[in-house]
Amino acid sequence: MTDARAERIAKLIEPLRVEPGSRVDLGEDFDPRYKAGLKKKRGVELLRTGVSLLAEYQERLAAQDTYGVLLCLQALDAGGKDGTIRHVMSGVNPQGVKVSSFKQPSAEELDHDYLWRYATRLPARGDIAIFNRSHYEEVLVVRVHPEVLDRQRLPADVRGAGLWDRRYRAINDWERYLTDNGFKVVKIFLNLSKEEQRTRFMKRLDLPERNWKFSGADVRERRRWDEYQHAFSEMLSHTSTPWAPWYVVPADRKWFARISTAAVLAHTLMDIDPSYPVVGKEARKDLRAARRELEADAPAGAPADPYAAGHPVPEAGDGQHGSGPRAKGRHASGAASPTGKGKRK
């Protein structure tokens, strides 16, 4: 990535990256209120820039049709996954993005291996798939709730010691396989504090129009806070890899969580650096013939090329890119770096 925007984005997200091979203690290593020295007003501008970058690079990703991107979002209840998806992906073409939310597995899904239902929702080349909760539920909820593991009907000889280490290894191998085949895996954990979760739960109870978002199960799961913190720490320690690192995004401030998520995803797309397909020699002949026919069909007094009449066009009609010349005013600004790298705390 030579784009200056990429360098600024990298500085913003670097403190959030879990170094592969490192041992993570979630409560000690990552602060849910970290904001990289930014203020909310500046954050709104950065989010707008991030959304613009995503729109630009998603268009190129779809046109190239070589890579696919899988975004995995994990968080505890009220962590902000739905809102993050809604804001970050607001500017992209919905035809190129598919969101899958994984609830309790069906009878059919339980008749397969635990990764089967996730494999059926993977992106196609040129697309972005978002997992709202992901295959990491298999080492989080399943670990905290043994009764969920019981429903998977595993053979007795694989239920003993080493089960979670084997699952970490299998997940790492699966993600390596996807990456080797051109599918980038982006993993974001929205890190919410216990008090902020309580605040958001209370808001759902206080506002009638938000009552539907609350369930008694939310409070029951909250009682297992420490168990989940341990499960998340183990997950981050064992599955942040060079080919698919984890990013722990501070989630107490929704605006910063959205900026950071957009920056991580934009960084991935800029690293791929997809390009528009180059039109071959024979195809360019067809384009020139089509241009002549369309120009000849212009009504009296109308410009032969209405678009070129109002836009600067590089070597108009050369047909170098299948999508046509790039319009004036392409996004040129990038996400600003934090005021100081500092620490993640």
Side-chain angles (χ1 to χ4, degrees):
M1 287 183 298
T2 58
D3 196 318
R5 295 173 295 181
E7 296 180 6
R8 290 194 287 270
I9 288 174
K11 290 180 181 179
L12 175 65
I13 65 175
E14 192 276 334
L16 314 180
R17 184 175 182 268
V18 177
E19 185 64 27
S22 64
R23 188 69 187 176
V24 175
D25 183 324
L26 191 56
E28 293 293 328
D29 296 335
F30 293 94
D31 180 4
R33 296 193 62 77
Y34 174 78
K35 61 175 184 175
L38 296 175
K39 293 184 178 180
K40 187 174 182 178
K41 183 177 180 180
R42 176 61 174 155
V44 172
E45 299 172 5
L46 293 180
L47 180 60
R48 190 178 300 115
T49 296
V51 169
S52 296
L53 280 171
L54 289 178
E56 175 185 343
Y57 276 85
Q58 184 219 9
E59 181 182 344
R60 290 162 57 175
L61 182 80
Q64 188 183 58
D65 199 27
T66 300
Y67 291 91
V69 175
L70 172 62
L71 171 61
C72 301
L73 279 178
Q74 289 293 151
L76 286 171
D77 295 319
K81 298 186 303 299
D82 292 343
T84 296
I85 294 171
R86 185 170 62 252
H87 284 80
V88 170
M89 308 307 292
S90 61
V92 302
N93 185 339
Q95 293 183 350
V97 179
K98 182 178 180 180
V99 180
S100 297
S101 298
F102 294 97
K103 307 296 184 181
Q104 183 173 326
S106 67
E108 179 187 16
E109 290 168 340
L110 289 171
D111 272 340
H112 292 81
D113 66 273
Y114 66 88
L115 288 176
W116 179 80
R117 67 172 180 157
Y118 306 102
T120 63
R121 308 287 185 89
L122 289 171
R125 298 189 191 280
D127 288 348
I128 298 173
I130 301 175
F131 283 0
N132 185 344
R133 298 188 186 272
S134 69
H135 47 289
Y136 283 97
E137 295 292 283
E138 305 299 333
V139 293
L140 294 170
V141 173
V142 178
R143 182 167 186 167
V144 173
H145 290 275
E147 68 275 15
V148 178
L149 183 63
D150 291 340
R151 290 199 290 269
Q152 295 185 351
R153 304 193 304 279
L154 295 176
D157 59 343
V158 300
R159 282 287 303 267
L163 170 64
W164 305 116
D165 286 339
R166 289 194 298 274
R167 287 205 169 184
Y168 295 140
R169 185 180 68 244
I171 288 172
N172 288 340
D173 289 344
W174 187 56
E175 291 175 353
R176 182 61 183 263
Y177 164 80
L178 293 175
T179 301
D180 287 346
N181 281 274
F183 296 91
K184 300 294 186 180
V185 182
V186 184
K187 302 185 303 196
I188 292 177
F189 170 57
L190 297 175
N191 187 27
L192 189 71
S193 70
K194 192 173 184 179
E195 176 57 18
E196 180 62 22
Q197 185 193 58
R198 188 182 74 88
T199 299
R200 294 182 186 181
F201 280 169
M202 292 302 298
K203 186 175 182 179
R204 293 178 180 182
L205 292 171
D206 291 339
L207 300 178
E209 67 272 19
R210 298 201 178 191
N211 287 170
W212 66 272
K213 299 183 72 173
F214 188 82
S215 167
D218 296 337
V219 173
R220 290 193 293 273
E221 288 299 280
R222 180 177 165 83
R223 295 170 192 157
R224 297 175 179 267
W225 180 271
D226 291 340
E227 294 174 69
Y228 273 109
Q229 293 297 294
H230 175 71
F232 279 121
S233 295
E234 289 292 293
M235 174 197 76
L236 296 168
S237 298
H238 288 90
T239 61
S240 190
T241 59
W243 53 89
W246 274 102
Y247 290 88
V248 178
V249 169
D252 277 16
R253 294 178 173 89
K254 292 181 179 180
W255 60 269
F256 187 74
R258 292 162 184 168
I259 294 168
S260 300
T261 300
V264 172
L265 187 53
H267 181 271
T268 300
L269 292 173
M270 295 173 81
D271 196 30
I272 294 173
D273 195 21
S275 57
Y276 293 105
V278 176
V279 177
K281 184 176 180 180
E282 290 302 315
R284 287 200 297 274
K285 291 181 181 179
D286 292 339
L287 293 180
R288 287 193 289 270
R291 169 179 291 280
R292 288 193 294 269
E293 182 174 340
L294 289 170
E295 289 176 340
D297 201 32
D305 186 340
Y307 179 82
H311 301 79
V313 179
E315 299 183 32
D318 67 358
Q320 287 299 308
H321 299 292
S323 61
R326 298 179 67 185
K328 179 182 180 182
R330 270 292 188 192
H331 310 298
S333 59
S337 61
T339 56
K341 175 180 174 182
K343 297 182 179 179
R344 294 178 289 191
K345 283 295 287 178

